Amino acid sequence: MTKNWKRNLWIVWMAEFLAIMGFSSTAPIYTYFIQYLGVDDALIARWSGAVIAISSISMGVLGPVWGALGDRHGRKVMVMRAMFGGAVIIGLQGLSQDVWQFAALRLIQGALTGTVTAATALVVSNTPREHLGETLGKLQLAVFLGQAIGPTTGGFVADTLGYRATFWVTAIYLLIAGAMILFLVREHFVPSPEALQGSLFTRMRKDIGAIFAGSLLGLVLSL
C-alpha cells in the first residue's frame, strides 16, 4: 500500500476529469460529423447508432484482456495505455475522410481505452481499505463532472473551430491526462503469485468462467 495514496487520488481525479470531459465533448457531434462526412440523410441515424455501439462492444471484449495484463504488469501502465491510446485514435478520428474510416477508428478506440475502469483499479490498489468508499465516491465525482461539462465545451469548439477540431481538442485533453499519470503518479506494484500463474489466456478463461459459475459478480453484472 503506497503512502502517497491521497496524492495519487487527486492526480488521477484531475486526469480522469480531463479524459471524461474530452470523451463527452465528441459524443454530441457524432451525428453531425457523420453527416459532414457525406452520409446520405436516410442512413445517418443508422450510422450514428453503429459508431456509438461499436466502441462499447470492442471495449467489452478487450476488457478482460487489459484486466489480466493489469494484474501482471501494474495498474498505472493500464491507465497510460487508455489515455495515450485514446489520444492517438481520437486525434486520427478528426482526420477521417469517410464514415468507414470513422467507424473503424471508433472500434479501435473502444479496444484501447476504458479510462474509468483502469483509473478505478489504480486508485483502489493504492487506497487503504477504510477509505475505499470515500475514494471511489470522489473518483465518480470526476467522471460525472467531466460528463456534465464535456458536451458544452465540445459544442462550443465545434461551433467555433469546426467538427474536426473537437476531436483534436479531446486528444490534447487525453495527452495532458496521460502525462499527469506518467510523471506524477507513484505506484509500488508487486504482482501476486496467482496473477503470474499460467498463461494470459488461462487466467482470462478462469476469470470469465467464474462470472458464469453462479458467483456474486455474475449476478451483479446481470443486474
Side-chain angles (χ1 to χ4, degrees):
M1 191 76 66
T2 179
K3 296 180 180 179
N4 298 319
W5 70 272
K6 288 185 178 180
R7 177 177 178 273
N8 283 347
L9 169 61
W10 290 114
I11 294 170
V12 174
W13 192 99
M14 182 55 67
E16 191 61 14
F17 168 73
L18 286 173
I20 297 302
M21 184 170 67
F23 287 125
S24 299
S25 295
T26 59
I29 69 165
Y30 286 154
T31 300
Y32 299 106
F33 188 60
I34 289 169
Q35 186 178 34
Y36 173 80
L37 291 175
V39 173
D40 185 83
D41 288 351
L43 298 176
I44 289 175
R46 186 178 304 173
W47 271 108
S48 298
V51 298
I52 292 172
I54 199 169
S55 178
S56 298
I57 293 172
S58 59
M59 185 180 296
V61 171
L62 269 294
V65 177
W66 297 128
L69 288 173
D71 288 341
R72 292 185 174 217
H73 303 292
R75 278 74 185 203
K76 176 179 175 178
V77 69
M78 290 296 104
V79 181
M80 291 165 51
R81 173 265 308 166
M83 299 290 190
F84 289 129
V88 172
I89 295 303
I90 293 178
L92 290 175
Q93 287 174 13
L95 300 174
S96 299
Q97 298 302 307
D98 58 54
V99 73
W100 288 100
Q101 292 180 5
F102 183 49
L105 289 168
R106 283 282 298 165
L107 178 69
I108 300 172
Q109 176 187 331
L112 287 180
T113 57
T115 64
V116 175
T117 302
T120 301
L122 174 60
V123 168
V124 167
S125 67
N126 288 279
T127 301
R129 183 176 298 273
E130 62 269 20
H131 294 285
L132 275 180
E134 175 189 357
T135 297
L136 290 175
K138 290 177 178 177
L139 192 59
Q140 284 297 306
L141 176 61
V143 173
F144 292 137
L145 283 178
Q147 290 175 337
I149 297 174
T152 301
T153 59
F156 176 78
V157 172
D159 282 345
T160 55
L161 300 177
Y163 297 133
R164 295 186 185 276
T166 308
F167 295 95
W168 299 331
V169 169
T170 292
I172 293 172
Y173 287 155
L174 287 167
L175 282 175
I176 294 173
M180 292 174 66
I181 300 297
L182 173 62
F183 294 111
L184 300 178
V185 169
R186 300 289 180 264
E187 181 187 32
H188 304 284
F189 178 77
V190 178
S192 66
E194 182 179 308
L196 298 175
Q197 290 178 357
S199 65
L200 180 64
F201 176 77
T202 302
R203 177 65 189 276
M204 287 175 51
R205 185 174 60 181
K206 180 180 178 182
D207 291 343
I208 294 175
I211 294 175
F212 298 100
S215 67
L216 181 60
L217 177 59
L219 176 61
V220 171
L221 291 176
S222 299
L223 292 174

